[in-house]
Amino acid sequence: MDRSKSLDKQVVSIIYGKGRGWSFSKKDFSHLGELASIDRTLSRMAEKGTVRRVMRGLYDYPAYSKLLKKDLSPDINQIAQALSRKFGWTIQISGNAALNLVGLSTQIPTQYLYLSDGPSKSYQLGNTEVTFKKTRFTQLGLKYSYNEILVQAIHTLGNRSLTTEELHKLRTYLLKASRTKTDGDDLELPQILIDRTLKDTQYVTSWIAHNIRQVLLSTSKSQEIKER
């Protein structure tokens, strides 16, 4: 019983440390003990409502909306990342899915496509399909998943100057996805986030790197637009 309580505390500590919106499987806690014990721990937590079971073998610590006073839908990219960790795949989000995640597509997606070095496979999550396609990668070696999404979104927009609205959306996405705090409603990116992103994306295609610098270094005051 004491071991069970100790394991529960360790698992909860990791989940809370990752923050709301994080998705995971028992594989993410394999360093804590036997997978069967971790599986039972996660099942108990799901029954209590501490975490949410989103599909067989996969859970999340749901993000909560104070405005709507309810849990939000699972984060699709977090689901994909959790599946990739569970099965040991390397994945890369496709361009159209990236546009949806950064808020630059008005279409309601029914499918999110990820390139993968694992087998081609699809998972149904409510009305949304998460698909992994075995294929070659175009951009590799990024440390932060939000930078991967940024790169793929810019690549999909094409080799051109970004519009004011696109800059605004991409800066907003970066602040939210990196969980970086800023003062007030200002979209000035903190220097730590700028430095981290520049270093992480330094080896991507040159025109993509140029547009990333445009996102990071142009000020929100000079690019200010009205919310639509």
Side-chain angles (χ1 to χ4, degrees), residues 71-105:
D71 291 337
L72 299 179
S73 299
D75 183 314
I76 298 300
N77 191 55
Q78 286 285 346
I79 295 293
Q81 296 296 334
L83 286 168
S84 73
R85 295 193 304 272
K86 180 179 180 181
F87 297 115
W89 302 336
T90 299
I91 65 172
Q92 176 184 299
I93 193 168
S94 70
N96 288 332
L99 288 181
N100 280 305
L101 290 175
V102 301
L104 283 173
S105 174

Side-chain angles (χ1 to χ4, degrees), residues 129-142:
E129 186 178 80
V130 183
T131 298
F132 299 90
K133 181 180 179 181
K134 186 176 179 63
T135 187
R136 63 184 292 273
F137 295 101
T138 56
Q139 304 287 348
L140 285 175
L142 300 186

Side-chain angles (χ1 to χ4, degrees), residues 78 87 106 116 167 173 199:
Q78 286 285 346
F87 297 115
T106 57
S116 171
L167 289 169
Y173 164 76
K199 182 178 180 180

Side-chain angles (χ1 to χ4, degrees), residues 202-213:
Q202 62 183 318
Y203 297 118
V204 301
T205 304
S206 59
W207 69 264
I208 296 177
H210 172 78
N211 280 1
I212 288 174
R213 291 182 67 85

Side-chain angles (χ1 to χ4, degrees), residues 29-49:
F29 308 95
S30 59
H31 60 291
L32 298 179
E34 296 292 333
L35 289 178
S37 298
I38 295 166
D39 198 19
R40 289 191 293 270
T41 293
L42 293 177
S43 293
R44 286 195 301 270
M45 292 175 66
E47 290 174 3
K48 293 179 181 179

Side-chain angles (χ1 to χ4, degrees), residues 119-149:
S120 294
K121 200 164 184 178
S122 293
Y123 296 86
Q124 197 67 34
L125 188 65
N127 295 324
T128 303
E129 186 178 80
V130 183
T131 298
F132 299 90
K133 181 180 179 181
K134 186 176 179 63
T135 187
R136 63 184 292 273
F137 295 101
T138 56
Q139 304 287 348
L140 285 175
L142 300 186
K143 180 178 180 180
Y144 300 98
S145 62
Y146 56 82
N147 285 334
E148 174 189 310
I149 294 169

